[in-house]
Amino acid sequence: MFCKNCGKEIKDTEKFCSYCGTPVDVHEDNINRQENIRRKNVYTDNFNTVVPPKKSKSKLKKVIIAIIAVLVALVVIVWIFGDDSSGSNSTSAVQNTDNQVMKFNLTIVNHTGIDIYELYASETDTDDWEEDVLEDNILCNGDSINITFTITENDLDWDFAIKDINGKQYEYYDLSFEGCNINGATLVLDSDGNATLN
């Protein structure tokens, strides 16, 4: 134990400090000794290095960070997959900042004499055909199908290609949507290899 007056270490059995003569309060010293032992056990390891006590605030921080992360993820998802107010059945022109986007209700009529298994459309200045407009449908000879065809006012000229059951391809070039009504345009493919768009 230590003297409360001079701070020197004295034996636990002493009733007076052998250095300054101050009486030693045995009861108070026992309390101090117990507190020192508790501190030593909590704050030090076997090598007398300081080990800070663990705090419970880390759980609260983790919960707050998790909530913030979920909120940020939701905002990103809404931003990416936001509400498409134009709708897939829209028949009117929608104003774009650079170019006017037009969604045509296009009726495709098959008078080719063959069943059409694939139908492709491509802008005239593009070498590659876009995706199959019919998707999984088959347009039988004499039938028609209605699709929504989206273009911009700067790209009114299109090429079309069809494929039959054997994969034979027939191509139709330079068909223009200029002057067509967006509420009801019609593409007619005939058996002479001609196509009309009006």
Side-chain angles (χ1 to χ4, degrees):
M1 86 179 139
F2 296 92
C3 175
K4 63 181 180 180
N5 184 44
C6 68
K8 303 262 183 174
E9 188 172 359
I10 54 176
K11 293 182 182 178
D12 290 342
T13 57
E14 299 285 330
K15 295 193 188 236
F16 296 95
C17 175
S18 56
Y19 297 100
C20 68
T22 303
V24 175
D25 185 2
V26 175
H27 175 70
E28 183 180 316
D29 192 54
N30 282 342
I31 292 171
N32 288 340
R33 189 173 336 119
Q34 289 173 353
E35 179 65 20
N36 285 340
I37 290 170
R38 186 190 67 77
R39 285 185 186 161
K40 183 173 184 177
N41 288 340
V42 171
Y43 291 102
T44 62
D45 61 14
N46 292 336
F47 301 104
N48 290 331
T49 56
V50 175
V51 177
K54 296 190 179 200
K55 296 182 181 178
S56 63
K57 290 183 181 180
S58 64
K59 285 185 180 180
L60 179 61
K61 285 181 182 178
K62 288 178 182 178
V63 169
I64 291 172
I65 289 172
I67 291 171
I68 291 171
V70 167
L71 290 174
V72 168
L74 286 174
V75 168
V76 169
I77 289 170
V78 168
W79 180 69
I80 291 174
F81 300 105
D83 180 29
D84 182 12
S85 60
S86 64
S88 62
N89 295 325
S90 174
T91 59
S92 60
V94 179
Q95 185 65 35
N96 189 341
T97 55
D98 298 330
N99 207 353
Q100 189 173 11
V101 175
M102 296 179 286
K103 292 189 176 201
F104 283 86
N105 280 337
L106 181 62
T107 301
I108 302 170
V109 181
N110 180 5
H111 289 304
T112 60
I114 59 170
D115 293 338
I116 300 173
Y117 282 77
E118 296 174 29
L119 172 65
Y120 298 98
S122 176
E123 297 174 23
T124 57
D125 58 354
T126 305
D127 292 335
D128 297 322
W129 294 107
E130 306 284 329
E131 59 190 60
D132 183 7
V133 174
L134 294 178
E135 297 174 342
D136 294 328
N137 297 310
I138 298 171
L139 183 55
C140 295
N141 184 46
D143 287 347
S144 64
I145 189 170
N146 294 319
I147 63 168
T148 301
F149 195 73
T150 305
I151 62 174
T152 62
E153 68 180 353
N154 289 342
D155 297 314
L156 295 176
D157 298 330
W158 286 76
D159 298 333
F160 291 88
I162 62 172
K163 286 188 180 181
D164 64 14
I165 192 170
N166 298 318
K168 185 174 179 182
Q169 183 165 304
Y170 305 86
E171 297 175 354
Y172 305 89
Y173 293 101
D174 297 320
L175 298 167
S176 179
F177 280 88
E178 189 171 348
C180 292
N181 186 338
I182 61 173
N183 294 318
T186 304
L187 172 63
V188 179
L189 306 171
D190 67 26
S191 59
D192 295 329
N194 296 318
T196 56
L197 181 60
N198 53 38

